[in-house]
Amino acid sequence: MTLRNIPPVEGLLQAAGELIHAYGRPLVTQAMRESLEAIRADVRAGADVPSNQAILALAESRLSAWTRSTLEPVINATGVIIHTNLGRAPLSKSAIEAMQAVSAGYSSLEFDMKTGKRGSRLVHAESVLQRLTGAEAAVVVNNNAAAILLALSALARGKRAIIARSQMIEIGGSFRVPDVMKQSGAKLVEVGSTNKVHPSDYEEALSETSGIRLSDSKSARASVVVRAHRSNFKIVGFTEEPSLKEICDLAHAHEAIVIDDLGSGTFFNVEKYGLTHEPTILESLAAGADVVTFSGDKLLGGPQAGIIIGKKALLDKIKKHPLARAVRADKTCLAGISATLQHYLKDEAEREVPIWRMISQTPESLKARAEHWQREITSGEVVPAESTVGGGSLPGENLPTYVLSLDIPKPDKFLAKLRQQSPAIIARTENDRVLFDPRTVLPEQDALLIETLKRILF
Ligand SMILES: *Cc1c(COP(=O)(O)O)cnc(C)c1O
């Protein structure tokens, strides 16, 4: 009997004008059907038929769940600066503006403004990269993984590609340097042992190549040496490897080229922040690397991109390779990368690029912010702790910081509750305490963080 008291979809839709305006008729109809289906099951199990208003509310909660983006902004209070799971580098104001400007309307992406004819998208970031690095040529692609695959496919296909065993790294998401080398069609030649590689190991592998029968063409003989940055781990103890300059000199003596995968790639010397030396982009070029690749969204602090710089003749081959089109950067990426690079050109990166602002914050200023949070929230204590650079750069390298530490009975439950907020707050726990590191919280998010914590704590 009661099942018959359930109102029909059509009748409910007549009262759902606002929902239809917000979500469109087809989706509202679907939400209504699913809600009624659930109600029917409840009624069969003995429940009463809810009011029309309650049914509309049920439908609305479905609609709001269906249309909520799963990709949403969060507040990063973890203290991990280049947090791969949280989208890596936050962008500078002018990078965001540049990306918005080219995406809101048309742009000169492939249009030569001088001649009014077809142009190339490759010129935009290339000019600033040439000026900044002194490299002969440059190309920007989708990400650094694509940069390596493209560079190797264009330069090492069918050739021997030499790499030290200690550099055959896995970066994460099952991206392994040796696999990518094979994928490119290069013949992988491993040299050295896990902990040590000597100049003579490279020498031997390079000479072997030169020993190929005379009938082979010169280009088929020439091999490629790959050096990959050990981004996410360290080898310590009984270790040795030649400097990049030694590797380049050896390779060039055997008419081989060197591709240096820097991973993060930095223009700054990070030692001034108390971190261990991270090879810089300019050092790689100065050492003689023919092609250097790095990410746009790690220590560079820009949007997701892969940057390839180096010798013109080699970059020409890379630009012409069929894969180049498949991994090319889009207009927003090119605009964002160019704007980010401008900060380095104008010597203002430390001030304008968020990740460098975070890295260069002093413990005193961080302490002052954590104390401000504590005073506002009237809870927890401010204690010394450590932030990390992250993003597979500078493994094991920490920066001294101060955090707000909350003593919460069930820390994991509290972390889950923080994730349900809008925006969600991502924090970390240590010894059963919940820690909030001001280093990675953008200053403009302070008020929101304080307000949210107050609301869920009291
Ligand atoms: C991070 C990293 C990559 C991959 O770069 P993405 O921009 O994430 O594609 C490749 N090589 C090294 C050494 C890296 O650290």
Side-chain angles (χ1 to χ4, degrees):
M1 282 310 281
T2 34
L3 277 176
R4 266 195 243 148
N5 293 341
I6 296 176
V9 173
E10 276 313 315
L12 286 164
L13 281 175
Q14 265 157 31
E18 271 176 45
L19 287 185
I20 290 170
H21 182 71
Y23 297 101
R25 181 175 289 268
L27 203 61
V28 174
T29 310
Q30 204 181 338
M32 217 67 95
R33 287 217 175 93
E34 285 194 15
S35 304
L36 291 176
E37 202 61 50
I39 290 165
R40 244 172 247 125
D42 288 349
V43 168
R44 274 193 211 100
D48 288 332
V49 175
S51 69
N52 282 10
Q53 214 170 350
I55 299 173
L56 286 178
L58 278 174
E60 181 160 19
S61 69
R62 278 188 158 74
L63 288 163
S64 115
W66 291 348
T67 52
R68 190 177 159 179
S69 173
T70 52
L71 177 57
E72 54 187 306
V74 305
I75 295 178
N76 174 12
T78 63
V80 182
I81 297 171
I82 304 168
H83 199 306
T84 295
N85 301 145
L86 301 184
R88 289 199 184 156
L91 301 179
S92 77
K93 203 165 153 278
S94 48
I96 296 165
E97 284 167 3
M99 292 170 90
Q100 190 170 5
V102 295
S103 50
Y106 297 101
S107 67
S108 59
L109 181 64
E110 290 183 354
F111 189 73
D112 187 326
M113 299 299 265
K114 275 201 202 107
T115 62
K117 298 211 172 84
R118 190 194 153 90
S120 163
R121 72 173 62 214
L122 297 179
V123 300
H124 306 297
E126 185 167 42
S127 51
V128 51
L129 278 163
Q130 283 165 326
R131 187 165 293 281
L132 196 54
T133 63
E136 291 172 10
V139 60
V140 176
V141 295
N142 224 340
N143 53 31
N144 190 32
I148 301 160
L149 180 63
L150 174 60
L152 284 165
S153 303
L155 305 175
R157 189 176 174 76
K159 297 183 187 171
R160 293 155 45 91
I162 300 167
I163 184 166
R165 286 205 167 79
S166 59
Q167 294 167 13
M168 309 225 308
I169 55 169
E170 172 171 321
I171 287 138
S174 69
F175 179 87
R176 292 181 168 168
V177 168
D179 293 343
V180 175
M181 290 173 71
K182 280 184 213 147
Q183 178 68 39
S184 72
K187 270 178 64 192
L188 192 64
V189 180
E190 305 167 27
V191 295
S193 60
T194 323
N195 54 326
K196 281 203 175 198
V197 56
H198 302 288
S200 56
D201 294 322
Y202 283 101
E203 178 94 61
E204 223 164 274
L206 284 159
S207 309
E208 225 174 280
T209 320
S210 324
I212 285 178
R213 277 176 292 117
L214 277 174
S215 58
D216 290 345
S217 74
K218 195 171 165 186
S219 66
R221 278 201 321 250
S223 57
V224 171
V225 178
V226 175
R227 194 203 49 172
H229 188 292
R230 262 189 297 279
S231 294
N232 46 15
F233 75 105
K234 258 184 182 167
I235 53 170
V236 290
F238 190 57
T239 67
E240 195 179 316
E241 83 187 12
S243 69
L244 182 61
K245 173 144 194 348
E246 283 176 272
I247 296 173
C248 290
D249 289 348
L250 277 169
H252 294 159
H254 289 85
E255 289 177 50
I257 58 160
V258 176
I259 299 177
D260 188 24
D261 170 21
L262 272 181
S264 229
T266 168
F267 284 108
F268 286 141
N269 229 319
V270 296
E271 279 143 302
K272 78 180 214 202
Y273 307 110
L275 298 163
T276 334
H277 183 74
E278 166 83 8
T280 69
I281 295 158
L282 297 185
E283 282 168 4
S284 285
L285 291 174
D290 302 280
V291 172
V292 180
T293 75
F294 49 95
S295 281
D297 52 348
K298 289 186 182 169
L299 283 173
L300 199 74
Q304 179 191 303
I307 299 175
I308 313 175
I309 57 174
K311 303 263 161 67
K312 183 171 184 306
L314 301 175
L315 267 284
D316 281 346
K317 281 191 191 163
I318 289 172
K319 290 173 186 173
K320 274 192 228 124
H321 192 275
L323 255 186
R325 167 74 185 237
V327 298
R328 72 181 184 182
D330 83 310
K331 59 191 175 188
T332 54
C333 166
L334 291 169
I337 281 290
S338 301
T340 305
L341 291 167
Q342 296 286 354
H343 293 310
Y344 292 91
L345 202 57
K346 294 193 261 176
D347 194 26
E348 59 180 24
E350 207 175 64
R351 199 172 71 231
E352 298 293 332
V353 177
I355 63 140
W356 288 106
R357 265 205 313 262
M358 291 173 183
I359 291 172
S360 60
Q361 276 178 95
T362 61
E364 298 79 63
S365 72
L366 291 160
K367 188 176 184 195
R369 268 178 79 199
E371 283 171 352
H372 168 67
W373 293 358
Q374 186 221 14
R375 269 195 310 276
E376 291 288 321
I377 294 159
T378 64
S379 181
E381 50 178 341
V382 173
V383 297
E386 292 189 320
S387 324
T388 55
V389 177
S393 16
L394 304 155
E397 291 286 318
N398 296 325
L399 293 157
T401 187
Y402 282 89
V403 295
L404 173 66
S405 161
L406 297 183
D407 195 1
I408 305 275
K410 287 184 181 136
D412 286 339
K413 235 175 148 176
F414 189 69
L415 285 187
K417 195 159 180 193
L418 287 171
R419 289 196 300 272
Q420 283 161 14
Q421 305 307 307
S422 182
I425 298 170
I426 314 297
R428 70 178 208 262
T429 57
E430 218 170 87
N431 302 325
D432 273 352
R433 297 182 71 98
V434 182
L435 308 185
F436 299 85
D437 189 336
R439 191 187 292 275
T440 49
V441 176
L442 303 172
E444 57 268 30
Q445 295 174 326
D446 271 17
L448 204 51
L449 178 96
I450 291 166
E451 183 205 312
T452 309
L453 282 180
K454 270 183 171 165
R455 178 159 36 83
I456 60 176
L457 278 170
F458 306 111

